[in-house]
Amino acid sequence: MTDVSVIGIGQTKVGEHWGTSIRHLAWYAIEAALDDADTTSIDALYVANMMAGHLSHQDHLGALVADFAGMRGIEAVTVEAADASGGAAFRQAVLAVKSGLVETAMVVGVEKITDQSGSAALTAMSTAMDADYEAIHGVTPAALAALMMRRYMYEYGLELADFSGFSVNAHANGSSNPNAMFRNLLKPERFASGPLVAEPVSLFDQAPLGDGSAAVILTSSQRARDMVPKPVAVIGSALAIDHIGLHDRPNILRLGAAEVSAQKAMKEAGLTPDDVDVFELHDAYTIMAALSLEASGFAEAGKGWQLARDGEIGRAGKVPISTFGGLKARGNPAGATGVYQIVEVCQQLRNEAGDCQVDDARIGMAQNLGGTGATAVTHLFRQDS
Amino acid sequence: MTDVSVIGIGQTKVGEHWGTSIRHLAWYAIEAALDDADTTSIDALYVANMMAGHLSHQDHLGALVADFAGMRGIEAVTVEAADASGGAAFRQAVLAVKSGLVETAMVVGVEKITDQSGSAALTAMSTAMDADYEAIHGVTPAALAALMMRRYMYEYGLELADFSGFSVNAHANGSSNPNAMFRNLLKPERFASGPLVAEPVSLFDQAPLGDGSAAVILTSSQRARDMVPKPVAVIGSALAIDHIGLHDRPNILRLGAAEVSAQKAMKEAGLTPDDVDVFELHDAYTIMAALSLEASGFAEAGKGWQLARDGEIGRAGKVPISTFGGLKARGNPAGATGVYQIVEVCQQLRNEAGDCQVDDARIGMAQNLGGTGATAVTHLFRQDS
């Protein structure tokens, strides 16, 4: 089986890109990744996107983006798994290179969300849920997160303020990331008084949707070592699904898909959570950060929040998370988010993270969730230079 | 590299399934394929779909369908390439099994279109085109096909009636297929007087959109031989893209993506068009059938229509196409169509095509197009029993 490495990364700032079409937005990240890898030869393109059909009236992004990027004749498709599309598309690229049929693959995550009026973006986001049993009742993603958070607070006797560490850390890290949507600091005492979105979820709990694109290039590890000075090896890769509807899960505080995909990826890499130096997780809500840490083996059930309280998620902590601001401060460009996470892990492992750098980061992990964790994609990476 | 074979197939009738939700519709094909392969063990599910986000307010079909089918914990994503989604999803499954990381993969194509009022389906179909340069001007898929057909008629001095052979053949074959949407015969003299959709494209040129689902199961050829009596080997697999906008193509009568993907698949299989016993092509319009035959090497430019005129596309002809009715008579369930094509090729190669059977069919080909051929996926299959 072919070993696979990342040889190029690119990204745009997350935020409002009203004057940029979706094809241009994708191109900016593609161009940066091609420059980074110093190559123009791509055999397959996997586009990660969730909402272009709804918000830009444009599906068929594989052909659209590859065509616009001048990659005619290549293989190109869209991979969709709600807000886990980025991780899912990366997974397909890994499989493609491992198959030996695709020499060099690119993954580009792109999402344009903010130039919409009314509830268009919320309606599009809701397609990640079970349409017939959740969305039809008017339940929103934030409302589902609120149900999980409320249950967690009840089970473990917590208050809203106990989650503050996640958002404070994200904003502290985001303030050092030039591509972050929010670069302001968040004061711990301000956290619990945020305007409520869906009680107890507040504005300071919930990650903001933003426009953005990110791209990575993969090839065999053997070629990678000849092509670039700092290849990053993909040493674990797994995607798993759970019940899509929250009401169907035996325990709504257990992210089953995250658990399965993390265990599979760890097993493939021969690692344990103790080996991970940086973990880009899916902190769309603070409760999701806590539950991801627990599902992935970094904390026991009910104790994920303590890692935030104790400062263990900071750059010098036991498990640094959201090192570029995470979804909360870097911003959440939905279908592109999983690709941002992987780009950021590579920046860390290449020691190119600037002010966001985690010292001596050698093993990195990215975990992308879709629809309250119905889909989870976990990848493990290692410095290969 | 692992060789890959199809070990199970399933399908529903194409038509109106108003009383069936999209998850149930997918399940019926999945259940049939699991029964056919006599297995319950699936490691990865690739869902092919184009319009559920638009028409059923449901994306994230990987998790939804796998969950509903009781396949929790497995890997599942949606693959989208407009109406080439079915072939594209099959391609991902082939790569996954070839990688050695996925032992048994399932592809399910599902589409629910007909229970919509007004222009909802047309609007959803239009997302396959270039939104900013085609759809925005009100161009429809039929209008683009009309531009291609008009040019073809002009270049080669043809009349509408010269295309009749394609639809007459499709309806003749469809009349023998219990899963076909239209089982009526079409008289050659009736063809040219069909109500116009977009001149010269008429109702008898254009394939009808329908609801439906089809599924296939793939595993390594080695396992396949132990599991089922009639495995079908995948001997060629390729996906390619072209300019998405018709106006960008140097020659609108040349399906570049179909040409590249057919040549790649033929090369992988070590075959030429003469070796192909049955060819399920993408006859969304008669002009597309003619152009596919030309792009795939079965006829020279401008001569694809002659194969229909001369009866060479019938069951006893040189290149039997649309043997179960094709898109024209079996019906076109958009994102699921590519999976139907593959199921039908397998029925032929397993000698289980009933009244649609092509004698001594040993090599089969399926070609699925997306958005006037911007995406093309070609697969070649061989009896392996």
Side-chain angles (χ1 to χ4, degrees), chain B residues 291-357:
Chain B
L291 296 179
S292 284
L293 285 166
E294 296 172 14
S296 306
F298 293 92
E300 288 173 34
K303 297 190 174 169
W305 68 278
Q306 294 178 3
L307 290 168
R309 179 196 61 187
D310 301 341
E312 296 290 6
I313 61 171
R315 282 205 282 274
K318 192 176 132 196
V319 49
I321 68 170
S322 308
T323 63
F324 284 82
L327 281 67
K328 181 67 194 79
R330 176 241 293 131
N332 178 16
T337 290
V339 189
Y340 272 94
Q341 294 176 316
I342 290 168
V343 166
E344 291 163 354
V345 166
C346 290
Q347 288 180 281
Q348 291 287 0
L349 301 186
R350 283 161 51 160
N351 198 28
E352 294 174 358
D355 292 339
C356 297
Q357 187 66 48

Side-chain angles (χ1 to χ4, degrees), chain A residues 23 46 53-54 57-60 67 72-75 78 80 91 123 127-131 240-241 243-244 375, chain B residues 23 53-54 57-60 67 72-75 78 80 91 123 127-131 240-241 243-244 375:
Chain A
R23 74 190 78 192
Y46 298 88
H54 300 283
H57 197 65
Q58 182 72 66
D59 289 314
H60 208 180
D67 177 20
R72 282 172 292 280
I74 73 157
E75 171 164 3
T78 306
E80 187 269 328
R91 166 73 176 161
T123 303
T127 60
M129 303 189 289
D130 187 318
I241 65 109
H243 295 277
I244 189 168
T375 297
Chain B
R23 73 189 79 194
H54 300 283
H57 197 66
Q58 181 73 66
D59 289 314
H60 208 180
D67 176 19
R72 281 171 290 281
I74 74 157
E75 172 164 2
T78 305
E80 186 270 327
R91 166 73 176 160
T123 303
T127 61
M129 302 190 288
D130 187 318
I241 65 109
H243 295 279
I244 187 168
T375 297

Side-chain angles (χ1 to χ4, degrees), chain A residues 8 33 59 92 95 111 113 116 136 140-141 166 178 219 226 233 248 255 279 289 294 296 309 320 343 381:
Chain A
D59 289 314
Q92 301 320 307
L95 292 173
E111 203 78 72
I113 307 173
Q116 297 290 331
I136 193 75
T140 63
F166 290 110
T219 192
D226 294 335
D248 273 333
L255 297 180
F279 180 21
E294 296 171 14
S296 306
R309 179 196 63 190
V343 166
F381 301 87

Side-chain angles (χ1 to χ4, degrees), chain A residues 10-33:
Chain A
Q11 64 183 308
T12 67
K13 185 170 158 49
V14 177
E16 292 180 344
H17 291 279
W18 290 29
T20 308
S21 76
I22 197 160
R23 74 190 78 192
H24 283 90
L25 193 55
W27 166 247
Y28 295 146
I30 289 171
E31 187 182 29

